[in-house]
Amino acid sequence: MLDFAPVFSLSHAGLCLHSNIFAMDTVIGLYGETVEVPCNNGAPKPKDLFITKWKYDNGDLLTQLKDQDASVIATNQYKDRVSMAENSSLLIAAASLKDEKIFTCMVVAGADISEYPVKLLIHKAPTGVEITALAAELEIGKPTQLGQCTAPDSNPAANITWFKNKKHLVADGKGITISSKVKVDEVTGLTTTSSTLQYTAEKGDTDALFTCGTLNALSSPVSFTVTYPTERVSLHVISKGPLMEGDNVTLKCKADGNPLPTSFNFHIQRKVVKVENSDSYTVTDVTRDSTGEYKCSIIDNAKMEDSKNITINYLDMSLSPSEKVMKSAGESLALNLQTDASGELRVSWTKDNDKLDKMPKFDKLTYSDSGKYEVVVTMGALIKKASFELVVEGIPVIRRLAKQRGEDGQHKVLTCEAEGSPKPTVAWSVNGTSADESPYVNGKISYKLTIVPTVNLTVVCTVSNELGQDTRAINVSTLFEEVRMDKQGSSDDSDTTKLVVGVIVGLLLATVVVGLAYWLYMKKSKQGSWKTGEKEDGSTEESKKLEEKIEEKLEENSQKVEV
């Protein structure tokens, strides 16, 4: 509030009054609402208050004496619209633009008359903001009237701002031009502001949101179809993984124009396939011969194209033999594995589901080579398998025939070990109390027979299959004989020295007997010769031969004694 100075003085009821006019205040009220115009900026009433009066240029509105109710003086449009508040403020109902005036509050207190002028302004926000006259589409590089933003029934006139993706657009005289106009309603005095945006679209405006607004209101966002020619084409191969023979391959041609092209040319191995109302083409059941370059282009511009090299993966494998193979033990078997693939291979072998370190080799077949062989060849996701069954056959052969006394000493166990394929069967020449056989593994089997021999006998084991048979015999003595021999063996062990001495004595006695016989023979021979008068030459020769024989016999006996 500004300082004031006395303007004039007057006398009333014998008093001298001083008049003071204070600086003007400004109050803003809302259109259609009840407006409060404060007196003396809402200061408390003076204690010596006599009268309060509100007036304006065309006359008085209402007065209030101290401790009395306010009285309305106005007879015009304010008659039913004005009242005074407890704090002496002026209340104006249903404010309109016609109420934009200067209202003065006059206060008489003591010897002073004070006047407080207040300028009343009525504001109204637009009833709404909207964009109309929208463009059908925006073309890149071409200035186009995007739309018109309208803010009706406001006071003062609304200031409209344009936004793109919430960013303020400023007219630059090139790509952005904004023009505005204001229209006043003759009845209400309210204004309608219209703003037109001329915009040159860019490629990135395809999904842009445009809005306009005032200080207190914002329009709903709008977007536009932005058209532009195709500048780039890309070919895409739709596949979940590496392409294999037998797969279906979908080719998809994408363009960056708007609107998007609806027809394309697909170049499939030197053939051109025209596709309309679609951007895709499927090549079915591809083979290794489908490997090569594929292209696509837009129909109205063959130079706008893209290409991709497509590789169809393949894996071929053959195994010989691939079925059941029958071979004889000792023969050879040649395996032949052939592969042809588009990439690096991994080969693995199994025999009866057990993994092998490498490809089997059969130079000389044995029964243990029999089994089911499988080879697995892989290349990425491609897998090929092949198998064959090998059966090695042979006439049974008995590798061992043995005997041993049972653990209880009351029986004997015969073991006949054989080898052959198909599985040999056994036949014994005697009956036993129990027969048993081992598992047949790798062509080998063992048969056992438990017997209780009562006499010495020869037992024959015969093994056979459909290819032939083999036989072997073993001598088996009775248990009594074995016990006797065992006892004799133990006695011989204790009397070894006696036995040797006895043999030596016997040999010496035999030598003495032979020598004695020879002496008697010679004596008789001499007597005969004397009696007959025969010459001794012939007998002498015979005697020498006999002596040599005796000496040889003695030497042989001597060697036996040494043993």
Side-chain angles (χ1 to χ4, degrees), residues 108-341:
V108 178
D112 295 324
I113 298 176
S114 300
E115 291 188 355
Y116 304 98
V118 180
K119 184 178 181 180
L120 176 61
L121 300 177
I122 301 300
H123 285 188
K124 182 181 183 300
T127 54
V129 181
E130 65 175 340
I131 301 176
T132 58
L134 296 175
E137 61 183 28
L138 301 180
E139 183 178 346
I140 287 182
K142 180 181 179 180
T144 304
Q145 182 174 310
L146 184 145
Q148 185 179 74
C149 182
T150 303
D153 300 331
S154 67
N155 188 63
N159 183 22
I160 295 177
T161 303
W162 286 90
F163 301 90
K164 184 184 79 171
N165 295 332
K166 299 182 180 181
K167 184 178 179 180
H168 185 196
L169 291 176
V170 179
D172 57 9
K174 298 178 181 179
I176 301 174
T177 301
I178 301 173
S179 58
S180 301
K181 63 180 180 178
V182 178
K183 182 180 180 181
V184 180
D185 188 289
E186 296 179 354
V187 177
T188 63
L190 297 175
T191 61
T192 296
T193 303
S194 298
S195 177
T196 302
L197 172 62
Q198 182 174 281
Y199 186 78
T200 302
E202 300 174 351
K203 198 170 185 178
D205 293 328
T206 302
D207 298 320
L209 296 178
F210 292 86
T211 55
C212 67
T214 63
L215 181 63
N216 300 311
L218 188 67
S219 71
S220 298
V222 293
S223 61
F224 300 89
T225 298
V226 180
T227 62
Y228 46 88
T230 297
E231 297 177 352
R232 183 175 178 271
V233 172
S234 59
L235 177 62
H236 300 265
V237 180
I238 310 302
S239 173
K240 294 181 179 180
L243 295 173
M244 309 295 179
E245 285 192 309
D247 287 348
N248 296 334
V249 181
T250 299
L251 306 176
K252 189 177 184 67
C253 198
K254 292 184 178 181
D256 62 352
N258 192 33
L260 294 173
T262 58
S263 300
F264 296 89
N265 284 330
F266 287 90
H267 302 256
I268 312 297
Q269 293 185 322
R270 299 181 181 180
K271 295 181 180 179
V272 179
V273 180
K274 183 178 180 180
V275 177
E276 295 182 340
N277 300 320
S278 176
D279 62 356
S280 300
Y281 180 77
T282 299
V283 183
T284 60
D285 195 21
V286 296
T287 66
R288 66 194 66 186
D289 295 332
S290 302
T291 297
E293 184 183 42
Y294 291 75
K295 295 181 180 180
C296 78
S297 62
I298 57 178
I299 289 180
D300 55 358
N301 187 355
K303 295 182 179 180
M304 197 71 65
E305 66 176 10
D306 189 28
S307 63
K308 286 285 187 299
N309 287 318
I310 297 178
T311 299
I312 307 301
N313 294 285
Y314 62 90
L315 171 60
D316 293 335
M317 180 191 72
S318 64
L319 176 65
S320 176
S322 59
E323 297 178 351
K324 189 173 184 178
V325 180
M326 309 292 290
K327 284 287 184 176
S328 298
E331 291 183 340
S332 63
L333 174 64
L335 292 184
N336 184 14
L337 175 65
Q338 294 184 342
T339 59
D340 183 20

Side-chain angles (χ1 to χ4, degrees), residues 43-57:
K45 297 178 181 180
K47 294 181 179 181
D48 53 354
L49 176 65
F50 174 68
I51 187 173
T52 302
K53 181 172 71 174
W54 278 97
K55 61 182 179 177
Y56 70 110
D57 294 342

